[in-house]
Amino acid sequence: MRVWFITGASRGFGALIAEAALKAGDAVVATARDPPTVTARLGTHERLLATRLDVTSEAEAHEAAGQAVKAFGRIDILVNNAGYGLLGAIEEASQAETQKLFGTNVFGLLGVTRAVLPHMRRQRSGHIINISSVGGYTGYPGWGVYGATKFAVEGLSEALAGEVAPLGIKVTVVEPGFFRTNFLDESSLSRTAMQIEDYSESVGKTRAHAADFNGGQRGDPRKLAQAFLKLADARTPPLRLPLGSDTVERIEAKNAFVAKELAEWRTVATSTDFSSDSA
């Protein structure tokens, strides 16, 4: 029996992953700001611990991790799922909106990871799964600040993977595309208070598309939950796991663009090295 520790587990991806793990016979520590919302969604179960965690409080993260170990003896899989979106141009996003977003999506993830890592280090085992986004691999107009939080998650995950590998701990960053969850409705998506007319042809189109697109996303969230079980079962899990054909398409397109641009600018890129002529 593995022990999962999942943040933001009362709805969306978090609840579906928790549900799938329980059905697989594992134990789940499902965290949320309001624990009764977890039991309302998942019910009560001897292998389920619903506990309070506002990820912006590192003290609460340490408390929740301690409760998990007290209840089940260990933490095998950490799923850093809690987060939300912000739609708006970079210029439109206020300092307060930006700081709040980073507080949850980046600093919250760091706080929970710091709370769980001592237990995994002691075990010399564990798997940290950080949920990023297709927006953490390639930028979109209107998703710049949100994407910046996910780009941060990608970089943190890469570095962390190298740091903890000698300790028997694995790290995967998951990059979902658009799935039919509540991400695009008001429960998970904030919009900048300011809207600048000059961005109507770029960010304005993204806003309109997000409203029209909701409910028609390609991704099936229940299939995502099953993919997480396969990831947890993997003896050698990937550093990155894109989920959704839309994510795969965007990654392939960006990789091709980067390769083309690098080829065009390779001479300039390599011209800055020290040489005998410049000594």
Side-chain angles (χ1 to χ4, degrees):
M1 183 183 72
R2 297 171 297 193
V3 180
W4 297 63
F5 187 104
I6 305 172
T7 66
S10 63
R11 57 189 175 87
F13 289 158
L16 290 169
I17 296 166
E19 187 176 55
L22 287 169
K23 288 181 178 178
D26 291 338
V28 175
V29 180
T31 76
R33 292 184 179 183
D34 185 14
T37 61
V38 172
T39 51
R41 173 65 176 78
L42 300 175
T44 57
H45 197 289
E46 62 180 4
R47 288 184 278 105
L48 172 65
L49 173 64
T51 188
R52 173 175 167 77
L53 175 54
D54 178 343
V55 298
T56 63
S57 169
E58 192 160 345
E60 287 192 10
H62 281 278
E63 175 65 23
Q67 290 177 11
V69 173
K70 183 177 180 180
F72 299 115
R74 59 190 296 115
I75 299 172
D76 297 302
I77 303 163
L78 166 62
V79 180
N80 277 311
N81 166 70
Y84 69 97
L86 179 67
L87 177 55
I90 291 171
E91 185 182 354
E92 294 170 338
S94 69
Q95 181 175 346
E97 290 169 330
T98 301
Q99 288 179 335
K100 182 179 179 183
L101 188 71
F102 271 82
T104 296
N105 292 7
V106 180
F107 302 128
L109 178 146
L110 281 170
V112 173
T113 302
R114 283 192 291 261
V116 170
L117 269 173
H119 304 287
M120 289 186 171
R121 285 193 290 105
R122 185 169 54 250
Q123 299 164 188
R124 285 299 192 265
S125 67
H127 191 179
I128 297 171
I129 303 174
N130 293 330
I131 298 188
S132 175
S133 164
V134 61
Y137 197 88
T138 182
Y140 294 82
W143 297 108
V145 176
Y146 170 72
T149 68
K150 295 305 185 179
F151 267 75
V153 169
E154 301 261 342
L156 291 167
S157 300
E158 282 192 17
L160 181 62
E163 292 170 359
V164 300
L167 306 176
I169 302 169
K170 301 165 184 176
V171 178
T172 299
V173 58
V174 176
E175 300 160 335
F178 285 97
F179 280 73
R180 295 186 190 183
T181 65
N182 55 12
F183 178 76
L184 291 178
D185 65 34
E186 293 180 359
S187 65
S188 295
L189 178 64
S190 294
R191 298 171 185 267
T192 56
M194 180 189 298
Q195 294 189 17
I196 300 173
E197 180 60 29
D198 281 348
Y199 292 113
S200 60
E201 288 302 306
S202 56
V203 180
K205 290 181 178 178
T206 301
R207 288 191 181 100
H209 179 66
D212 296 340
F213 189 51
N214 196 17
Q217 299 96 320
R218 290 192 207 177
D220 182 337
R222 294 194 176 276
K223 292 181 179 178
L224 176 141
Q226 293 304 311
F228 267 73
L229 291 184
K230 292 178 183 177
L231 175 61
D233 288 339
R235 184 178 296 273
T236 306
L239 173 59
R240 280 187 168 83
L241 177 62
L243 292 178
S245 60
D246 51 349
T247 300
V248 172
E249 290 167 6
R250 290 291 298 187
I251 288 175
E252 290 175 338
K254 178 170 180 176
N255 288 349
F257 172 80
V258 171
K260 178 176 180 293
E261 197 169 57
L262 179 60
E264 292 172 353
W265 286 87
R266 178 178 291 274
T267 300
V268 175
T270 60
S271 69
T272 57
D273 293 350
F274 270 102
S275 65
S276 58
D277 294 337
S278 61

